[in-house]
Structures are given as C-alpha cells and as structure tokens.
Amino acid sequence: MAANKVRVKALKWNDSDPNAVIALYRRLLNKIRDTADKTLDGDHQQELMRLFFARLPLDGMLDILGIHSYKRLYRMFFEDWLLLDYRSKRGSPTMAELTLHQMQGDMDSQEKQALTSLIKSQVAPYKVTGIEENLIRVENPMIAKSHYKVISAPDDLMLGDFLITRLLPGPVDWLLLEPWILLMPRDRKMFTNSLRQAMKEAGYGKRDFIDFCKLDMPRLLQVVNGEIVAAEKEMLKIAENIPFCPCWQETAVSDCERLTVLLETSGVFFKTHEDGGGFLFLERDNPSRLSWGYILFESNRAAVCVPPHEEPTPVLEALGRVIPDSAEFMDFKGMDSTHERYLHYNERMIKDLSIFLQNHEEMIDDILLPRHYDQYDQDETRSDFFTKLSFLLGKYLHSNKTPTEESRNQ
C-alpha cells in the first residue's frame, strides 16, 4: 500500500478541484454503464443481481427501514461490482477494462488516468482514526501502515467506525463516492478475524487482502452483512423496551360507510388496503408540517393518529375539506394511552401500515423517516417512536408471512 501512496502523489491532475475530479469519475462510470448495457443482456444482469443478493440475506432483520436501506445500498454495491470488478470468466475484461480499450485514442490524459484509477480500485474496510473539517483519516485494519486522508466524507462518522467503500485518488488526497456502508462492529477484532476466515475459505493468503477485495467483493460483503444482521438483533432487544405512544384523537360519527367512501374518492387520502383498511394522509405540498396522519373509521367512531410532537391540524383540515358537514360532528378529543380502544387502534394501525408498505415499498421512507421541524424539539421520544414503529411493522410482517413469501425471500 505504501507503493500506492507514492504513485498517487506522483499523479498530476489538470484540475485541482476535488469536485471536478469527482464529476469526472462519475462521467466515466456512466460510460462504463453504457458499455455494460451494450455488452450484457438485461436478463443476464438481472440474474447476476439475483445471485448477488442471494449471498446477502437480511432475513434476520425486523427493522423495515433498515431492510429497505440495506437493499438500496446493496443495489448500489451490485452496480459498483458489475461495472468495475465483474468478469464473465477468468481472464475476461471487466466492463471498466473494456471501456478503456474501446475509448483508446478518444481520451485525454486526465480521463485515461481517472479510468485507470477506477480499474485498479477495490472496495475495502477502512477504520476511522481521525476526523477534521471535510476530511477524515482512515486506515485499512487488515494491512499495516495503510493510512489515508479522505475528503468528501459522510457527516455522521465517528472515531472507530468502519467505512466499507472504494477510495479513489484525487488531486491531493483520496476521494469517496457512493456507495459506502458505515459499520460499528460489535467486536472489532472478531470482525477482522471473520474477514481473515473468509479469505482463507476462498483460498487467499494472509498478504492477499487487496486481491481478495478486488476479486471477491461479494464474499467481503457477506462478512459485512453478517455483522449488520447481528447488530440489528441487538437493536431489536433494545427496541422491545421502547414504549409505543402514538398520539390519538377520536370522535363519534354517524355513518362510517359514507365517510369511508368520501375519503376513498377524494384523491387526498391513501387507502392502506382494500379489506377494511384505514387511510393515510401525506401532505406532500407542504412536507414540513407533518410526517403523516392515519385515519380509521370503525364502530361509529373516527380516530386520527399522528406521530409524537406533531399537530393533527393538517389531517383534520383535510378531513374538513373532504367531508362537507364535518363541522357538525368532528369534535376530536385526545385519548389516554391506557384506554382499551387506544391499544386496539394501535394494533389496527400496525396491521394497516404493514400491508400498505408491503405493497408500496417505495413509500417506506415517507412513513418511517420523520420530517424535521423548527417548531418541535427533536427529542428521543420522537426518534424512539419511529424506531419502534419500524420494528413493530417488521414483526407483524414476519409473523404473518405466507409460505410463498418465505420461499421467495430465501
């Protein structure tokens, strides 16, 4: 790795602006993607992605948001692997190497330099050893004296974190492009031992860690994935002790069936599911006012729920616009958390949201990422609510999974 550091310092970039170099890398990645689309059949790419994901199971997680986030990350890592590391057979070129061959004569020296850097790079773990403004210091825990200064780093890093990513040489220091995984290993020594064991099983020697990362990146991610799933199980134990306290208000109504039809045909509310589900309200035109609201009509009562420290006013105003005579009966009152109907409403909401997100995965962020407000304190009660909600939804889906779903997820 020392030789690499000397080589990078000797490189001369035409533009010393790190953002310009990052933009160059991204343009080249788009060219490599074009090469992949022309070279690899779409069905073949889908099969490669299926096999890639099969090595990274998330079945041990109940946190809906966590599963969704890591699936999204793994798709990015798949794209990264497909373009820069994948070989259809031993000795065949990667998509990046094929692009370099095809673009010979059409590239300036900077483009060739950047494309060559992409070809030689690899995804690897880096331990954070120092944090400065817009700069972090990292080291590869598997290789002695492998220290790097990295710009364009995530804001939420802490000392001791592991960053699973691909570093690229820049004008002065190293650059960081997506994707990356932030990992806080439960036992750092156990994590590195797991990496060494994976190397051994794949037939790599102790000094071959860079080759292991470059030639067998999916196996590296398998070790990382095991750590992620194990950490989520520990989070589940913590989440079990977090109280679940949504804010409910209710009022008596005379005709639930009529109100349900009005909301279904309004174009303002989402029906959670067709089998007697409740409704969701998302104020997309003004998302700073409300994360979401849930509305349920049942037994001649209307119940409205919003997350802690949020005002139900936007939901009630929307109901008022949809229901012409709402002023006559919608006198909502807050509910005590010990009330029997309060607990029943919680159960109904968890069921409805679980079914809704199962069918609308693209809206997981809308439901499980709280909006940020200037007028509300972002205290632990609020963050705990969304954490607990995510685990409760995952628990419901897990306990109600059908045999067909189980076989599909294996």
Side-chain angles (χ1 to χ4, degrees):
M1 294 305 296
N4 280 347
K5 291 181 72 176
V6 172
R7 176 181 61 81
V8 171
K9 288 182 179 179
L11 293 175
K12 294 182 179 180
W13 295 86
N14 297 336
D15 196 325
S16 60
D17 178 10
N19 292 324
V21 177
I22 288 174
L24 172 60
Y25 278 127
R26 287 179 173 150
R27 287 198 303 273
L28 290 170
L29 285 168
N30 287 335
K31 291 182 180 293
I32 300 171
R33 166 37 75 185
D34 291 340
T35 299
D37 288 340
K38 294 174 183 176
T39 306
L40 301 173
D41 178 79
D43 290 340
H44 180 54
Q45 291 191 41
Q46 287 298 314
E47 177 62 11
L48 288 173
M49 185 164 67
R50 186 190 70 78
L51 294 172
F52 187 91
F53 268 74
R55 301 179 68 174
L56 304 171
L58 295 168
D59 294 343
M61 297 174 64
L62 292 183
D63 179 8
I64 292 284
L65 183 61
I67 293 172
H68 181 63
S69 298
Y70 282 113
K71 281 183 177 179
R72 190 161 43 195
L73 263 178
Y74 288 160
R75 287 190 188 98
M76 295 172 68
F77 273 99
F78 168 76
E79 177 83 0
D80 178 273
W81 169 78
L82 181 71
L83 301 186
L84 301 180
D85 295 337
Y86 167 68
R87 299 178 189 275
S88 59
K89 58 184 178 181
R90 185 182 293 273
S92 64
T94 64
M95 296 299 104
E97 290 169 343
L98 193 58
T99 303
L100 178 62
H101 175 73
Q102 293 173 348
M103 292 179 64
Q104 288 287 1
D106 297 327
M107 292 186 294
D108 59 31
S109 60
Q110 177 132 307
E111 288 176 323
K112 185 174 182 179
Q113 173 180 305
L115 184 49
T116 301
S117 295
L118 283 167
I119 290 170
K120 292 183 177 181
S121 66
Q122 71 284 319
V123 170
Y126 300 95
K127 181 182 177 181
V128 178
T129 59
I131 300 177
E132 304 170 20
E133 186 176 356
N134 298 323
L135 183 73
I136 61 170
R137 298 179 185 274
V138 300
E139 65 179 10
N140 190 318
M142 306 294 289
I143 301 174
K145 299 180 181 179
S146 55
H147 302 284
Y148 309 84
K149 290 193 295 183
V150 184
I151 54 180
S152 302
D155 294 331
D156 51 352
L157 282 173
M158 298 177 62
L159 291 178
D161 283 355
F162 277 69
L163 194 63
I164 315 299
T165 192
R166 187 185 298 269
L167 298 185
L168 296 169
V172 179
D173 298 308
W174 293 77
L175 301 174
L176 178 64
L177 278 71
E178 288 185 316
W180 59 71
I181 292 177
L182 298 184
L183 194 64
M184 295 175 284
R186 297 161 300 141
D187 186 313
R188 289 174 175 81
K189 185 175 181 181
M190 186 180 297
F191 175 60
T192 54
N193 286 342
S194 296
L195 288 173
R196 292 189 179 95
Q197 181 62 31
M199 287 178 60
K200 182 178 179 181
E201 291 173 357
Y204 292 89
K206 294 181 179 179
R207 299 180 181 274
D208 299 331
F209 187 67
I210 293 302
D211 288 340
F212 168 69
C213 293
K214 183 65 177 174
L215 302 176
D216 206 350
M217 189 261 272
R219 193 183 295 263
L220 165 68
L221 286 184
Q222 274 186 313
V223 178
V224 174
N225 183 68
E227 189 67 36
I228 289 168
V229 173
E232 286 295 323
K233 289 181 179 179
E234 292 188 355
M235 277 295 298
L236 176 59
K237 295 178 182 178
I238 297 173
E240 289 289 348
N241 296 318
I242 296 176
F244 184 60
C245 302
C247 299
W248 284 98
Q249 293 191 14
E250 67 170 359
T251 189
V253 296
S254 58
D255 191 345
C256 288
E257 185 174 343
R258 168 178 167 267
L259 298 180
T260 297
V261 172
L262 286 172
L263 266 65
E264 285 179 337
T265 58
S266 68
V268 176
F269 298 89
F270 293 93
K271 190 81 160 62
T272 57
H273 61 90
E274 294 305 316
D275 188 20
F279 294 87
L280 272 173
F281 176 73
L282 298 170
E283 198 172 24
R284 296 185 181 278
D285 293 336
N286 190 6
S288 64
R289 289 187 65 194
L290 179 76
S291 292
W292 49 264
Y294 170 80
I295 304 96
L296 178 66
F297 297 118
E298 184 182 75
S299 302
N300 292 326
R301 290 184 179 274
V304 170
C305 174
V306 296
H309 301 306
E310 296 193 20
E311 288 292 334
T313 305
V315 188
L316 302 181
E317 289 176 348
L319 286 172
R321 292 192 296 270
V322 169
I323 304 172
D325 54 349
S326 60
E328 297 179 12
F329 56 83
M330 288 205 171
D331 183 21
F332 282 91
K333 303 293 185 183
M335 294 186 66
D336 188 277
S337 61
T338 61
H339 198 290
E340 183 177 344
R341 282 201 306 275
Y342 180 95
L343 301 178
H344 169 71
Y345 289 157
N346 283 352
E347 292 176 359
R348 279 297 310 271
M349 182 175 69
I350 293 300
K351 174 186 175 182
D352 285 357
L353 291 181
S354 298
I355 297 173
F356 180 77
L357 293 182
Q358 191 176 33
N359 296 319
H360 299 278
E361 187 176 349
E362 75 281 0
M363 296 186 70
I364 286 177
D365 287 352
D366 290 293
I367 304 303
L368 294 175
L369 288 180
R371 297 284 185 261
H372 296 284
Y373 305 93
D374 294 332
Q375 65 265 42
Y376 298 129
D377 292 330
Q378 303 296 310
D379 64 5
E380 290 186 4
T381 303
R382 189 166 155 72
S383 60
D384 283 353
F385 169 81
F386 286 94
T387 299
K388 182 73 170 187
L389 177 62
S390 185
F391 278 104
L392 287 173
L393 296 176
K395 188 175 182 178
Y396 179 89
L397 288 175
H398 182 77
S399 61
N400 290 276
K401 187 179 293 186
T402 65
T404 301
E405 290 171 336
E406 289 176 350
S407 61
R408 185 168 60 241
N409 292 334
Q410 286 177 353

